Amino acid sequence: MARSLLRQVLVIEDDIETAEQVADCLRMNAYSVDVAENGEEGLNRALAADYLVMTVDRLLPRVDGLEVIRQLRGRGISTPALILSALGEVDDRVRGLRSGGDDYLVKPFASREMLARVDALARRSAAVVKETILRVGDLESVRED
């Protein structure tokens, strides 16, 4: 089966058990998944490939999850980010969303809820089509990114 980048999700999670559970749930629901075990690896993967959605643990080694999102947003990468975190106070959730996260889910969470949130972000992400139109006289060229 060919890997579809249209259904590609990046999971950035340092807890191996949580990463496997998230990845398995997504794979069972027709997503292709890449897993990064720390913030630096996650940032590098997100910069090197196009993802439909990414899940980002808040507390990561090397580069904090919120810093990963801030750096991606600063470089113009708008891949929807679902923050997964054990930090569940209102201030924590607000900080995550204001750092560029699109949604925030507190650990422990139900896999069905995580999947529903990824699906919702994926629908939004897939609906955004980047289009460049070049016109010269009567000629027109359209390029979709």
Side-chain angles (χ1 to χ4, degrees):
M1 183 168 103
R3 182 169 138 162
S4 171
L5 293 179
L6 296 177
R7 302 277 297 170
Q8 188 68 24
V9 175
L10 175 60
V11 174
I12 309 172
E13 173 64 61
D14 65 320
D15 179 72
I16 294 168
E17 186 176 322
T18 301
E20 287 176 1
Q21 289 173 350
V22 170
D24 287 346
C25 177
L26 292 169
R27 287 182 184 119
M28 287 175 25
N29 288 278
Y31 287 99
S32 296
V33 180
D34 288 337
V35 177
E37 297 177 1
N38 61 63
E40 182 180 22
E41 180 186 357
L43 181 60
N44 290 335
R45 283 180 175 267
L47 290 170
D50 291 326
Y51 290 95
L52 182 63
V53 175
M54 60 184 161
T55 67
V56 183
D57 183 16
R58 178 84 197 267
L59 302 173
L60 292 166
R62 298 195 185 158
V63 180
D64 177 72
L66 298 186
E67 185 59 27
V68 168
I69 295 169
R70 274 191 215 101
Q71 287 191 32
L72 292 172
R73 299 300 183 247
R75 295 179 188 195
I77 295 174
S78 59
T79 303
L82 170 59
I83 298 170
L84 304 177
S85 179
L87 303 175
E89 297 296 319
V90 172
D91 287 344
D92 297 318
R93 296 189 312 259
V94 169
R95 192 173 297 113
L97 295 169
R98 288 195 171 151
S99 295
D102 297 279
D103 198 356
Y104 196 108
L105 187 58
V106 178
K107 295 176 184 177
F109 52 83
S111 294
R112 288 182 354 185
E113 182 178 5
M114 182 274 305
L115 178 62
R117 290 172 184 255
V118 168
D119 287 343
L121 292 173
R123 282 192 303 272
R124 251 187 279 159
S125 180
V128 177
V129 176
K130 298 176 187 173
E131 186 176 82
T132 303
I133 300 173
L134 174 64
R135 287 191 185 103
V136 178
D138 292 336
L139 300 175
E140 182 177 290
S141 175
V142 178
R143 181 179 140 201
E144 291 183 11
D145 293 329

